[in-house]
Amino acid sequence: MRVSREAAAHSATDNGSSATTESDDPPISWPAPADAAGRAGGQAGWDAAGGCQRGDDPAEPLTESEAEAQAHGICFKTGPPRRVGVELEWLVCEGRDPAQPVDQHRVTAALSPLTAPRGLPGGGKLTTEPGGQVELSSAPAAGLGRCIEVTGLDLAALRQAVQPAGLCLTGHGLDPLRPPRRVLDQPRYAAMETFFDRAGPWGRLMMCSTASVQVCLDAGDEGPGWAGFRWRWRLLHAIGPVLVAAFANSPLHGGRPTGWKSSRQAIWARLDPTRTLAPAHAEPSPGGRPARAWPPATDPRSAWVEYALAAQVMCVRRGAAPDWSAPAGLTFRDWLRGAGERPPTRADLSYHLSTLFPPVRPRGHLEFRSLDAQPGDGWIVPLAVTTALLDDPVAAQQAMAASEQVWFGGARGWQRGSPWWRAARRGPADPGIAAASRRCFEAAEAALARSGAPAAIQQAVSAFAGRYVDRGRCPADDQLDTAPSTPHLEEWQ
């Protein structure tokens, strides 16, 4: 479960808690491109941190038109794509017995030196998720190699900090052994739990038991080509299921197979669709309309505004009050139109935007958030492949052509048989997704070679392709090879 550092800061002020380690979606602090200030899209004068126009009072009541302008102005900040970032979530386990719950006080004590200002050598930030997962958010870097270098420094420091405490960081998309247990007791998390509990146990699993690799990239420029934000937005959605399948790494829950290669994605499929599906026209058309046909059917900024305001409100901040739960079914547009106990403010909208979890989230930059956590240093490969496919003009075209085939004639969203469903359920055992995956990896490997990426990065991608992609396997299959051959859990079907 993720909420922005800005939103966490608001809540910390309201309830007196510290947001340094008890926040749950620390976005990479991504400054607006220096050469894109004041460009199209309404971003001129917008504060990227809070989504409020400079000089505006974040506590001032918001009109519907002001809310639309605020959301429209901050979703895509355009300029030449240059920067790369990554957010790595880790399950924290007992070193001797990963099935045992962890005392959160031990984790806090171990991490405290690293959560201080400039506590990490690479300039990243550490935060704690509701279930005790640790998230490392890198500083935005000028290129893939530099991003991996600074993130590696931070991750080494993190591992060195937890090891003396008898703890270890585990890279699984879903905790394979332990039930969900919320360790952060704050009003926003209680409200989120209440919100998701209306639809079953899946929200608690997502909040407390899942972990991911999230790749962050510049939105792109205003042009129609491969470097434009419209193309990059569409491409990330097109390749999303292909990469979900390639890096699926969450086949177990309670020590038993769930029947899914990415159970984490199966959990997302069961959550509130008003905040987890992609906005309108972001995904390739199942009818076969190619992405090369420009302009796109819907402007991504306008589509994002409609999506954001139609999403249900997850929680209503009430200062020091313990109950932040929102009325069931209340959308943010409803709230703007007078439903609710008080008018919403600019800060409420900023908070609301941080509680939306589509496969790709526009935060000025693009946040690709659909990949399972990977073991060890396996996070380097999805970061490298995603970056290569978006930032190389030849690879971008090849990846779009390969991935669009996966979408033609299929179901949409999280429906049974859709690309997302097939990727999560079958992984690369799905023939169409496997073929697209091989083509995407070939394009990424060639792009990394053209860019002069460090040899270690190229070797890591080639080794992953040889071990998994070329053999129709994914990391989940390694776990299933040694898992007990018990029936699939009924609740996962």
Side-chain angles (χ1 to χ4, degrees):
M1 185 72 235
R2 274 179 277 291
V3 174
S4 72
R5 182 180 288 116
E6 293 80 25
H10 283 304
S11 64
T13 302
D14 291 338
N15 66 18
S17 65
S18 168
T20 303
T21 59
E22 295 184 358
S23 63
D24 56 352
D25 185 27
I28 294 174
S29 299
W30 211 278
D35 55 356
R39 294 270 290 278
Q43 71 269 36
W46 289 92
D47 176 2
C52 298
Q53 202 167 16
R54 296 186 182 99
D56 285 335
D57 181 357
E60 180 183 349
L62 197 61
T63 68
E64 192 168 352
S65 61
E66 289 170 341
E68 291 173 347
Q70 180 176 330
H72 188 279
I74 63 175
C75 52
F76 297 97
K77 293 188 176 296
T78 54
R82 297 191 180 106
R83 287 157 304 181
V84 182
V86 68
E87 301 181 14
L88 306 176
E89 294 176 338
W90 300 94
L91 303 172
V92 182
C93 299
E94 290 284 353
R96 294 183 177 179
D97 186 355
Q100 294 301 311
V102 172
D103 180 356
Q104 190 60 27
H105 295 292
R106 289 170 55 205
V107 180
T108 301
L111 298 183
S112 59
L114 303 182
T115 56
R118 295 180 294 278
L120 287 171
K125 300 290 184 182
L126 279 184
T127 51
T128 301
E129 303 285 330
Q133 310 98 308
V134 172
E135 181 172 72
L136 169 61
S137 297
S138 78
L144 174 64
R146 180 59 177 167
C147 179
I148 291 175
E149 178 184 357
V150 298
T151 306
L153 292 173
D154 288 345
L155 184 54
L158 175 58
R159 288 168 171 159
Q160 291 169 7
V162 300
Q163 186 175 10
L167 304 170
C168 64
L169 305 177
T170 304
H172 294 292
L174 175 67
D175 194 317
L177 299 173
R178 299 174 297 185
R181 182 175 69 101
R182 183 161 60 90
V183 301
L184 300 185
D185 185 18
Q186 296 181 16
R188 64 182 178 274
Y189 300 129
M192 291 174 189
E193 211 168 61
T194 298
F195 180 90
F196 285 120
D197 279 352
R198 295 167 186 158
W202 309 106
R204 294 193 182 208
L205 275 172
M206 183 273 288
M207 291 173 64
C208 301
S209 299
T210 63
S212 66
V213 172
Q214 298 176 32
V215 179
C216 297
L217 299 164
D218 277 327
D221 61 32
E222 289 286 340
W226 68 273
F229 81 91
R230 297 171 185 85
W231 175 278
R232 290 163 69 83
W233 173 249
R234 182 78 170 270
L235 177 56
L236 269 178
H237 285 90
I239 66 176
V242 176
L243 298 182
V244 164
F247 298 108
N249 188 36
S250 52
L252 306 177
H253 179 60
R256 298 169 60 193
T258 64
W260 298 80
K261 296 295 179 70
S262 176
S263 303
R264 176 180 173 274
Q265 286 298 104
I267 290 169
W268 283 103
R270 290 161 166 80
L271 299 180
D272 170 28
T274 72
R275 62 185 0 93
T276 60
L277 295 181
H281 303 288
E283 299 167 344
S285 169
R289 181 178 185 270
R292 294 175 293 281
W294 294 97
T298 300
D299 172 60
R301 291 187 176 103
S302 299
W304 177 250
V305 171
E306 292 303 315
Y307 178 93
L309 299 190
Q312 295 184 43
V313 177
M314 181 175 284
C315 57
V316 177
R317 297 176 303 121
R318 299 186 179 93
D323 183 6
W324 285 18
S325 58
L330 176 71
T331 70
F332 203 89
R333 196 177 289 280
D334 293 336
W335 196 5
L336 289 164
R337 293 177 176 178
E341 63 201 62
R342 61 168 176 81
T345 66
R346 294 184 183 277
D348 288 322
L349 178 56
S350 179
Y351 193 98
H352 172 70
L353 293 174
S354 73
T355 69
L356 305 180
F357 315 121
V360 185
R361 185 164 60 174
R363 304 185 66 91
H365 61 281
L366 302 179
E367 181 185 78
F368 180 44
R369 45 186 304 108
S370 300
L371 303 179
D372 284 354
Q374 301 294 297
D377 288 329
W379 57 273
I380 293 174
V381 179
L383 173 62
V385 169
T386 306
T387 302
L389 295 181
L390 261 74
D391 286 357
D392 181 276
V394 176
Q397 296 278 356
Q398 292 173 336
M400 184 73 86
S403 299
E404 280 185 321
Q405 302 300 317
V406 173
W407 291 87
F408 292 168
R412 306 297 289 161
W414 294 112
Q415 298 174 20
R416 185 181 183 90
S418 75
W420 295 109
W421 186 94
R422 289 156 51 201
R425 182 78 172 189
R426 303 170 187 155
D430 181 277
I433 290 177
S437 182
R438 288 192 295 271
R439 292 175 64 188
C440 284
F441 267 76
E442 289 170 0
E445 289 184 75
L448 291 168
R450 282 192 295 269
S451 70
I457 298 176
Q458 296 188 54
Q459 291 166 4
V461 173
S462 295
F464 186 95
R467 179 176 179 179
Y468 296 114
V469 178
D470 295 342
R471 300 171 60 200
R473 288 174 61 88
C474 60
D477 291 309
D478 292 344
Q479 299 179 55
L480 292 172
D481 286 344
T482 58
S485 56
T486 54
H488 297 157
L489 302 176
E490 292 182 3
E491 63 267 28
W492 287 89
Q493 305 312 306

